Structure formats: C-alpha cells, structure tokens
Amino acid sequence: MLSVKRIVAPTDFSRHSELSLEAAAELAEKFSAALQVLHIVVPQIYQSEMPEMMLPPVEDRTKDMLAAARRRMDHWRQGAPKGLRLTTHVVESTRKEDTAICEFAEAQDADLIVIGSHGHTGLMHLLLGSTAEHVVRHAHCPVLVVKPRVPIT
C-alpha cells in the first residue's frame, strides 16, 4: 500500500495550479501528510541588440520575481486549510522548471507529487511542451496529474 507522508505540489500560480493545490491539500489532510508547496523561479535573461535599450540587471529582475512569488505564496498560505502541515518554498533555479521540480521532490524525499495540467494537445503541446509530462516521466515517486473538469480560459 502506498504510504504518503510528504507531498510536493508545484505551482505556477495559474488556475490549473490552484486546482492541483486544492487536491494536494485534501490528500495531505486525508493521509496526515506534510504538504510542501513549491514555486520555481528561473531567471530571465534578456539580450538586446539595441544599446539604447536599457534593461535592469538580471539580478534585479530575479530579485523582483522572487519577491513577487513569495508574496503570492504568502497569500495562498493564508487561505490554506487550518491544521495543514504546510511548508512553502520559492526556489531560484537555472534548470528548467520540470527538472527543478523533480530534483526538489527527490531532495525532500517526497512520496507523491501533485501537479496541474493545462491539457494542451496537438500543436499547442508540441510548442509549449508539458511540465507535468516531464515530471511524470522523470520523478522518483508517484505523480498525480490534476486536470480541470472543464476547460479554463
């Protein structure tokens, strides 16, 4: 039988992620498991061929992205069910989000990853790829993919 003591739930703060976080919180309550909500920040590097175009240094943009993610995570934590053993993590990584999720979950010795799916198919899937699909293929533990029941716009 599956023993679930530690659940990792990555979020990109989209509506799809909200649904997967709700499912992860329910599972954590049912299994009396610890829930670790994770957001990965990948520094965005912009190059410009126009010297007159001034962009803030990459470090400043990354700090802003981390601060914004922490604020959103704090907001989510405030609405989380009371009594939930909850830890939130905002992690900066130079790796792709899907790889960083798998590495984080393994480092935390997670028993389950709960992740949302945007449900892209065909050309959209080919162009955008699938974080959830990569996590399913490469995670060290079981992965529950939460799809919306109806399309979210």
Side-chain angles (χ1 to χ4, degrees):
M1 181 153 165
L2 180 65
S3 173
V4 179
K5 294 183 175 34
R6 288 169 298 282
I7 299 172
V8 168
T11 181
D12 62 4
F13 303 114
S14 68
R15 180 66 183 129
H16 295 85
S17 285
E18 287 178 30
L19 294 172
S20 66
L21 290 179
E22 290 170 11
E26 283 183 39
L27 288 168
E29 286 180 318
K30 288 183 184 193
F31 283 103
S32 297
L35 176 60
Q36 297 185 48
V37 179
L38 170 67
H39 178 74
I40 303 293
V41 172
V42 176
Q44 302 296 308
I45 299 173
Y46 298 98
Q47 295 181 347
S48 173
E49 294 178 8
M50 299 182 302
E52 66 276 4
M53 186 175 185
M54 299 298 290
L55 294 172
V58 171
E59 299 82 26
D60 291 348
R61 288 193 308 269
T62 301
K63 285 179 188 175
D64 291 344
M65 291 166 63
L66 289 165
R70 287 186 184 106
R71 283 191 302 273
R72 292 189 78 175
M73 196 68 86
D74 288 343
H75 178 73
W76 185 84
R77 188 179 332 150
Q78 291 172 0
K82 303 299 179 223
L84 189 63
R85 291 189 300 143
L86 174 67
T87 310
T88 57
H89 305 268
V90 174
V91 175
E92 180 181 353
S93 177
T94 56
R95 313 275 289 204
K96 287 178 56 181
E97 288 92 342
D98 45 22
T99 302
I101 290 165
C102 291
E103 290 173 350
F104 178 87
E106 187 165 8
Q108 298 298 316
D109 196 24
D111 301 304
L112 178 67
I113 298 171
V114 179
I115 189 168
S117 170
H118 289 251
H120 295 299
T121 59
L123 183 59
M124 288 301 288
H125 175 74
L126 186 63
L127 293 174
L128 298 175
S130 171
T131 299
E133 181 179 346
H134 178 90
V135 171
V136 166
R137 290 179 188 266
H138 299 284
H140 77 288
C141 64
V143 178
L144 173 64
V145 179
V146 179
K147 283 183 65 169
R149 292 178 195 240
V150 294
I152 296 175
T153 57

